[in-house]
Amino acid sequence: MALWTSAIGPAQLARQLQAQQPRPVGAGLRKPPAYRALADGIRLLVLEGRVPAAARLPAERELAVALSVSRTTVAAAYEALRGEGFLESRRGAGSWTAVPAGHPLPGRGLEPLPPESLGSMIDLGCAALPAPEPWLTRGVQGALEELPPYAHTHGDYPAGLPALRQMLADRYTARGIPTMPEQIMVTTGAMGAMDAICHLFAGRGERIAVESPSYANILQLMREAGARLVPIAMAEGLTGWDLPRWRQVLRDAAPRLAYVVADFHNPTGALADEDQRRQLVDAARSAGTVLVVDETMSELWLDEDLAMPRPVCTFDPAGATVLTVGSASKAFWAGMRIGWVRAAPDIIRSLVAARAYADLGTPVLEQLAVNWLMATGGWEQAVELRRTQARDNRDALVAAVRRELPDWEFHVPRGGLTLWVRTGGLSGSRLAEVGERVGVRVPSGPRFGVDGAFEGYVRLPFTVGGPVAEEAAVRLAAAARLVETGGGSGGAEPPRTFVA
């Protein structure tokens, strides 16, 4: 019986290790030996979940060749990891990663902290805000009033409730993109939509072009579906896409799918302009690539003077090239697991047919709640409240980070929920590790890249404001000092309880 559940090749592990920035050495301290630096690098990858637990590592000789170091260095690193509980070995079976007893198992995505941890930990890992009350309660109450006729049915609606499909189609039509309900499938969140699309269009081994960086949870979903990710760098600043590079990659790599976030990109906050949208649709059509556009942030513009460009699907109204994914989770509340896909009717039929082997359908009560909110105007009022919360949080977080960490660099996005920060030459992975010990949880840049890219970044969401944002910046500054002085590998002062 296998003692490991996955394997990582020497070249892949070497790329992830070589992308890490060297651990800083404090004044008066000696540079750690090569085996110690290697052990620390592997440990960081395990702690962040970028190398999963129970993953078989390369043989010592193979990794030594890939890293251009001696086999003795690799053997000593593996031995150190075994002593710390991060590696297990058995003769004839090799060595595989582990998590020491009592240490929380790392997630591979950006899972929210459990509620019991929130008293002492400021969670900047999950880009989600509390529900915009009273609209959540009103939406659920309205749904309960409309539930009785549906209770007399089997309750399975694989394409979604007809009323909600019509409502979503009407909303696209009002935005200038004529849409029929047959072009809509309601899903269990945007992740449910992406899972269905990947299974239909991108079988194991298929190429998917992705922005670099991109949304960590979607990247992980694609990896676990067996896709080969083709990263395409974003343009500088918040200016959207590098179209010449996109055209070249779509032409040369011929990916089956491409995934983009045109509206307040996660994590950078970039907003693609209208000409970029038109050009990207043309490039995808020419290459025969299906373009999946994530619109989950599209309603979260925060600056009043911002004129939003037309949706990407404006340039492919039939939905044969552009598949649009929307969701209630970002604009309304993460606990409202309602998403949708807009595409050509034949694509929707294929997605619905494939869904029969997954989740059958989306909860009826939540669909009724979203439909009630959109029909009564409650949705617009709730989203306006959400914009106000996010705007206030953004401004507070930006001010606090600029005050406490003046060397960190970022562009202030005009919408969305995330700030993409260059950390002044510090390792984002080490900041994430040390941050948890000083009471602030922050995802490192490599979670949003492919093969270890963006080691010098972290993502900060606009989920806290006021005194909590100020305290978060103070704790991040404390973590940065520990990393700068080389104190990030030992114990740190436990976080004090903070009550907002």
Side-chain angles (χ1 to χ4, degrees), residues 197-198 200-203 205-209 227-228 230 249-250 253-259 284 287-292 320-321 323 347:
I197 291 168
C198 287
L200 181 63
F201 286 96
E206 290 277 6
R207 294 185 180 93
I208 302 180
R228 297 164 60 189
V230 182
V249 170
L250 294 185
R256 186 71 182 91
L257 283 181
Y259 169 76
T289 297
V290 175
L291 182 62
V292 183
T321 296
L323 277 59
I347 294 175

Side-chain angles (χ1 to χ4, degrees), residues 363-445:
V364 169
L365 189 63
E366 293 184 21
Q367 292 187 70
L368 288 172
V370 171
N371 189 65
W372 185 92
L373 287 162
M374 290 180 172
T376 61
W379 178 269
E380 282 69 25
Q381 294 182 64
V383 172
E384 182 56 42
L385 176 59
R386 170 67 77 240
R387 290 190 195 108
T388 300
Q389 292 173 321
R391 184 185 306 115
D392 292 346
N393 288 355
R394 178 195 64 180
D395 295 346
L397 186 63
V398 164
V401 172
R402 282 176 170 163
R403 182 180 63 250
E404 299 294 335
L405 294 150
D407 293 337
W408 286 19
E409 302 172 40
F410 51 86
H411 297 272
V412 180
R414 306 194 70 184
L417 290 171
T418 57
L419 195 67
W420 185 237
V421 182
R422 183 182 282 122
T423 55
L426 299 180
S427 162
S429 298
R430 291 185 170 86
L431 283 166
E433 180 194 12
V434 176
E436 294 226 14
R437 296 208 301 271
V438 299
V440 58
R441 181 173 181 257
V442 56
S444 70

Side-chain angles (χ1 to χ4, degrees), residues 189-280:
M191 291 293 289
M194 287 302 305
D195 183 63
I197 291 168
C198 287
H199 278 88
L200 181 63
F201 286 96
R204 187 163 293 277
E206 290 277 6
R207 294 185 180 93
I208 302 180
V210 296
E211 297 149 326
S212 183
S214 187
Y215 178 35
N217 286 340
I218 294 294
L219 294 180
Q220 189 59 37
L221 183 154
M222 292 173 177
R223 290 188 188 102
E224 295 188 357
R228 297 164 60 189
L229 302 184
V230 182
I232 305 175
M234 298 286 290
E236 275 301 308
L238 300 184
T239 56
W241 303 313
D242 183 338
L243 263 300
R245 191 173 301 181
W246 271 95
R247 280 192 294 270
Q248 179 183 351
V249 170
L250 294 185
R251 181 182 64 247
D252 296 347
R256 186 71 182 91
L257 283 181
Y259 169 76
V260 298
V261 186
D263 299 297
F264 312 120
H265 174 262
N266 186 355
T268 69
L271 178 65
D273 64 36
E274 195 159 299
D275 187 55
Q276 289 176 321
R277 296 168 190 239
R278 178 187 295 105
Q279 289 190 53
L280 186 60

Side-chain angles (χ1 to χ4, degrees), residues 444-496:
S444 70
R447 284 187 176 271
F448 304 88
V450 177
D451 284 340
F454 306 108
E455 183 62 58
Y457 289 81
V458 293
R459 188 194 74 170
L460 305 180
F462 315 143
T463 52
V464 297
V468 185
E470 295 176 7
E471 178 67 14
V474 167
R475 295 185 186 188
L476 281 171
R481 287 193 294 272
L482 283 170
V483 173
E484 283 175 336
T485 59
S489 59
E493 181 182 340
R496 62 185 183 274

